[in-house]
Amino acid sequence: MGALNYIISNFCTVPSKKIKTMQTVEIKVKMDCDGCERKVRNAVATIKGVKSVEINRKQSRVTVNGCVDPNKVLNRVKRTGKKRAEFWPYVAQHVVTYPHASGIYDKRAPGGYVRNVQTFTPSADTEEKFMSLFSEDNVNACSIM
C-alpha cells in the first residue's frame, strides 16, 4: 500500500475545488413596486449556492444567505436594471461610538441606522493631555492663556 499511495500522491493530480463558505450578503437597492421586487428576487434566487433571499422594500434592502460570491450577487442585481445597487453601507446606530460625527449621519439611512465609516477614537493618553491643561490644583497650569 505504501508504493500505491506514493504513486497516487506524486503523479495523480486531482483538481481542487474552491469551497465557498456560507455567508450573508446585504445589498441596498431601491425598489418601487412588486414587479421590481419580483425581478430582483428571481435574479438572485437563480444564482447557484443561494439558500434564501429576504427583501425589505421599506429599507431598500436585499439579504441573501448562501455559499455565494458577494460581487456576483451585486452584479446580478445590477443586471436587472438597478444600476445604483450597492453593498449595504449602514450599521446599527448603537454599534457606532460617535453616531453624530460628521460623515456618519445620513438622512437617507433607515431609522436606527448610520453610515458605516471608520472614525477616530481618542485614546486615554490624548484625553489625559487635554485634562492636564486645565488643572484646578495648579494655578499656572492653564497653558492656553
Side-chain angles (χ1 to χ4, degrees):
M1 274 305 196
L4 186 59
N5 287 337
Y6 175 79
I7 292 172
I8 291 174
S9 64
N10 288 333
F11 298 111
C12 297
T13 58
V14 178
S16 61
K17 288 187 176 182
K18 198 176 195 182
I19 298 173
K20 296 178 184 174
T21 59
M22 184 79 161
Q23 60 183 336
T24 301
V25 180
E26 294 178 332
I27 296 176
K28 176 185 173 189
V29 57
K30 190 168 187 323
M31 295 170 283
D32 297 324
C33 60
D34 291 333
C36 296
E37 183 178 337
R38 188 176 344 103
K39 204 187 283 187
V40 170
R41 182 184 303 276
N42 290 339
V44 173
T46 58
I47 298 174
K48 184 178 179 183
V50 172
K51 300 293 180 196
S52 67
V53 178
E54 297 173 23
I55 295 181
N56 188 340
R57 195 182 332 162
K58 187 175 181 181
Q59 289 185 346
S60 301
R61 183 181 201 171
V62 177
T63 306
V64 180
N65 293 320
C67 301
V68 293
D69 179 28
N71 292 320
K72 190 174 183 180
V73 175
L74 181 64
N75 289 336
R76 184 67 66 97
V77 170
K78 284 183 177 181
R79 283 197 316 192
T80 63
K82 305 294 182 183
K83 300 294 182 191
R84 296 188 63 191
E86 62 180 343
F87 290 114
W88 186 253
Y90 305 117
V91 294
Q93 188 170 5
H94 68 277
V95 175
V96 180
T97 310
Y98 300 105
H100 300 291
S102 64
I104 293 179
Y105 184 73
D106 188 2
K107 291 179 184 176
R108 295 179 302 240
Y113 289 93
V114 292
R115 191 163 281 282
N116 187 9
V117 177
Q118 297 295 331
T119 60
F120 170 73
T121 56
S123 64
D125 296 334
T126 309
E127 290 179 12
E128 192 173 306
K129 287 178 186 176
F130 287 131
M131 294 304 289
S132 66
L133 292 176
F134 302 102
S135 175
E136 293 179 1
D137 297 335
N138 186 358
V139 180
N140 297 323
C142 184
S143 61
I144 295 178
M145 295 278 189

